[in-house]
Amino acid sequence: SIVTGASVSLGLRLAEMLMNAPEHVTVPARSTYDLSHLSDSPPHLLRIVRGDLADYESLLGAVHGVTHIFHCAAASTDWATMEVYRDSNIRGTEMLLATALKERGLQRFVHVSTTDVYGYPVIPCAEAGELQDAGLPYNQTKIQAEQAVWRASREGLPVTVVRPATIYGPRGKAFVTDIAELLRHRQMAHIGGGRATGGFLYVDNAAAAMIAAAQSTVAEGQVYNLSDGTRETWKTYVAALAKGLGCKPPWIDLPYGLAMAIAGTMEAPYRWIKALPGRPMLTRHAVLLLARDQEFPSGKARADFGFASHVSFEEGIARSVTWVKSLKRV
């Protein structure tokens, strides 16, 4: 199997779980990416191919002879240049698809999309919901990446698309380490009282779902929402992290309209002055994630390939807290 994006949470756990199967895993990665966390992996099961996803020749070599491709790599931050989003989410996906189409022995291409492609609807929808351009780079480029996958499918590539909601767990950045830092500095804010459901999906549950989908004949040509279905709110999630880390819960609570106005104002200088360092403290993307319910139904995945959340919310929080605390000792 090939696993892209193994330098971060989902790709790493997926690669580890595949090797525990045991299965041979190829990891394409840029030379600048730190893969030291894979140093304990069995050397006879792990192959690292240094190169960019835009490097056609290195990808051809990586893809040769594999039966499954798990495409986890993406720019999933809420703030980056449009060029970064295009390179990671569109061009990287298109290049990987081009090489995958040449590998006749490939049994499945599993593409990690996101529920953000629905455009942050007020009511979470099932997989038949329309993809909506919300005017945000991540949402836009992930829609275009999905469209590229479906074009390859029409050319004969066996694909499955998964749309996770909010993935959290060890090595998680946006929803673990970033929130932990905001809590420590008393800068974390709730939007609308934190009442929106987070659509939380523990990283191991996400990786297990992808493996099950790749092995299911029913899942070929299908798309699946993924969340643990806990219906936990952002208020509950952030409070649990805060308690585990010994921090106080957020004291800032902004109404949705005010939060969007503040985010737009904070983003403006960074859009006007391209060389401005840093990033806005609050973005429209973050406001939408925190204010709109993210509990997209995943009943189709449970029915088609037995998706089950074996790691509970409580255990997922505990493991996340343990990992964040370990960073402080380094």
Side-chain angles (χ1 to χ4, degrees):
S1 296
I2 285 181
V3 177
T4 68
S7 61
V8 292
S9 181
L10 177 59
L12 169 62
R13 279 305 288 142
L14 179 59
E16 289 174 338
M17 290 168 70
L18 287 169
M19 285 186 283
N20 287 338
E23 183 174 325
H24 290 87
V25 173
T26 296
V27 171
R30 294 176 181 173
S31 58
T32 55
Y33 283 4
D34 179 12
L35 296 178
S36 59
H37 46 275
L38 289 171
S39 59
D40 293 333
S41 302
H44 65 289
L45 294 178
L46 176 65
R47 179 171 69 121
I48 296 175
V49 177
R50 291 294 184 176
D52 195 282
L53 283 184
D55 184 346
Y56 183 75
E57 293 303 322
S58 70
L59 279 181
L60 268 181
V63 167
H64 181 68
V66 304
T67 56
H68 294 80
I69 296 176
F70 297 91
H71 183 35
C72 306
S76 56
T77 177
D78 67 324
W79 188 259
T81 66
M82 191 62 180
E83 192 64 20
V84 167
Y85 285 116
R86 288 195 183 111
D87 281 347
S88 298
N89 298 347
I90 302 174
R91 295 179 187 128
T93 300
E94 289 175 340
M95 191 65 73
L96 188 60
L97 289 166
T99 56
L101 280 165
K102 293 186 176 296
E103 184 50 54
R104 296 304 174 189
L106 190 69
Q107 297 175 21
R108 193 69 54 85
F109 186 108
V110 180
H111 173 70
V112 180
S113 184
T114 169
T115 53
D116 288 46
V117 297
Y118 296 118
Y120 318 97
V122 174
I123 300 174
C125 59
E127 290 83 355
E130 291 186 11
L131 307 193
Q132 297 286 344
D133 184 342
L136 298 176
Y138 178 64
N139 153 265
Q140 292 172 334
T141 55
K142 289 299 283 185
I143 288 175
Q144 292 177 62
E146 258 207 51
Q147 290 169 340
V149 172
W150 295 121
R151 286 195 298 271
S153 175
R154 291 192 290 272
E155 293 179 42
L157 191 70
V159 307
T160 297
V161 173
V162 294
R163 294 174 182 158
T166 304
I167 299 177
Y168 74 103
R171 293 194 176 274
K173 186 177 187 300
F175 304 119
V176 180
T177 53
D178 285 356
I179 290 179
E181 281 303 301
L182 290 171
L183 285 167
R184 284 170 179 154
H185 293 95
R186 304 288 285 141
Q187 294 174 343
M188 182 62 195
H190 282 314
I191 310 297
R195 292 186 296 272
T197 54
F200 300 108
L201 174 66
Y202 186 66
V203 61
D204 287 34
N205 297 337
M210 292 176 63
I211 294 171
Q215 296 171 346
S216 168
T217 56
V218 176
E220 182 177 338
Q222 297 295 316
V223 58
Y224 298 95
N225 293 340
L226 294 178
S227 78
D228 286 331
T230 62
R231 301 205 59 79
E232 297 288 354
T233 64
W234 280 106
K235 184 174 183 178
T236 304
Y237 175 78
V238 173
L241 278 182
K243 181 178 179 181
L245 295 169
C247 300
K248 293 181 179 179
W251 60 276
I252 306 170
D253 188 356
L254 302 172
Y256 172 75
L258 177 60
M260 284 298 280
I262 292 173
T265 301
M266 287 184 168
E267 287 180 8
Y270 293 88
R271 290 197 297 269
W272 297 334
I273 307 172
K274 301 301 183 183
L276 195 65
R279 50 158 293 147
M281 285 187 64
L282 187 64
T283 65
R284 292 169 296 153
H285 184 173
V287 172
L288 285 166
L289 288 179
L290 294 172
R292 297 280 172 84
D293 285 338
Q294 303 295 319
E295 199 66 70
F296 290 84
S298 54
K300 181 180 176 184
R302 299 181 191 279
D304 281 9
F305 54 84
F307 166 55
S309 302
H310 294 295
V311 179
S312 69
F313 179 75
E314 293 75 17
E315 179 62 22
I317 290 289
R319 294 182 188 181
S320 301
V321 167
T322 298
W323 179 74
V324 173
K325 287 181 174 179
S326 75
L327 299 180
K328 296 181 69 177
R329 294 194 292 270
V330 175

